[in-house]
Amino acid sequence: MAQSSEVDWEVKGSGISKRTLIILVSIIIVLVVVIAVGVVLFLTGALTPKAAIREAAADSVEVSKVPQYPAIYHSLAPAFVVNFYRQSQRQVRFLQVKMEAMARDSEIIEAIKNHRPAIRNSLLLLLSHQDYETLHTIEGKEQLREAARHEINQVLEDQAGIKGVEAVYFTSFIMQ
């Protein structure tokens, strides 16, 4: 009887047991499934080296945001001098500001030069509507810089159909 149980575990005509055969077939099935998944991923582009390189390049561009061209600065001289009303003490105050616009395209700088009167008008109106207490803070000055950049870009878009001023910098800021 012991011999008959050994015969049941062996495949007829070979010396491989059923247990070994099941393990081998299972390994082959797993390998076929893994290869099939790899082929599908490769064909859809999710596993190609180019896709990985593109994703890495997109991530590095978002992180570093390296400018393509050097910054070009243009002075918005002469200085802007405006008066505005200080609400808390009901008195007139004066503000003198010198500004420079920064862009990376000479076409934008030429547009600033060409539309200088409209830009100066918008900036004078913006400056004259400021609050004295707000401008005393760093946050208030930063908000004013951003508002000035927006005003310049709005004038350029309205007049020339372009915009591209990236920043406005105060080179002098005097409140009295």
Side-chain angles (χ1 to χ4, degrees):
M1 266 184 137
Q3 283 185 333
S4 66
S5 66
E6 288 178 15
V7 173
D8 288 340
W9 283 100
E10 293 182 2
V11 176
K12 292 183 180 179
S14 71
I16 302 175
S17 68
K18 284 185 180 180
R19 196 177 296 166
T20 308
L21 184 62
I22 291 173
I23 291 172
L24 286 175
V25 170
S26 299
I27 290 173
I28 291 172
I29 290 173
V30 168
L31 285 174
V32 168
V33 168
V34 168
I35 291 170
V37 168
V39 168
V40 168
L41 289 174
F42 180 78
L43 292 176
T44 61
L47 195 63
T48 62
K50 288 182 181 178
I53 291 170
R54 273 181 273 165
E55 286 181 35
D59 290 344
S60 68
V61 168
E62 289 178 6
V63 170
S64 65
K65 298 219 182 216
V66 176
Q68 292 180 347
Y69 302 105
I72 304 169
Y73 298 94
H74 179 70
S75 176
L76 301 172
F80 293 89
V81 179
V82 296
N83 57 342
F84 56 97
Y85 196 68
R86 185 171 180 186
Q87 294 293 333
S88 63
Q89 296 179 354
R90 300 206 183 279
Q91 62 186 159
V92 176
R93 292 293 189 169
F94 294 96
L95 173 67
Q96 178 184 328
V97 179
K98 291 182 182 176
M99 291 188 240
E100 292 203 19
M102 190 273 285
R104 299 190 185 276
D105 187 352
S106 59
E107 182 182 341
I108 303 299
I109 299 301
E110 286 303 314
I112 291 172
K113 292 175 185 176
N114 290 337
H115 300 288
R116 180 185 184 100
I119 290 171
R120 286 191 63 81
N121 178 66
S122 290
L123 291 175
L124 281 169
L125 293 174
L126 173 69
L127 292 170
S128 66
H129 283 92
Q130 296 304 305
D131 179 55
Y132 181 83
E133 282 77 21
T134 303
L135 289 181
H136 251 97
T137 66
I138 296 286
E139 294 83 16
K141 290 178 178 86
E142 288 297 324
Q143 288 174 357
L144 181 58
R145 274 183 357 104
E146 181 59 29
R149 184 191 68 80
H150 176 74
E151 285 295 320
I152 294 170
N153 277 328
Q154 189 63 49
V155 169
L156 292 178
E157 188 173 18
D158 292 346
Q159 300 293 325
I162 59 172
K163 59 182 178 180
V165 172
E166 290 183 29
V168 172
Y169 298 104
F170 298 133
T171 55
S172 175
F173 196 96
I174 301 170
M175 289 193 330
Q176 189 177 19

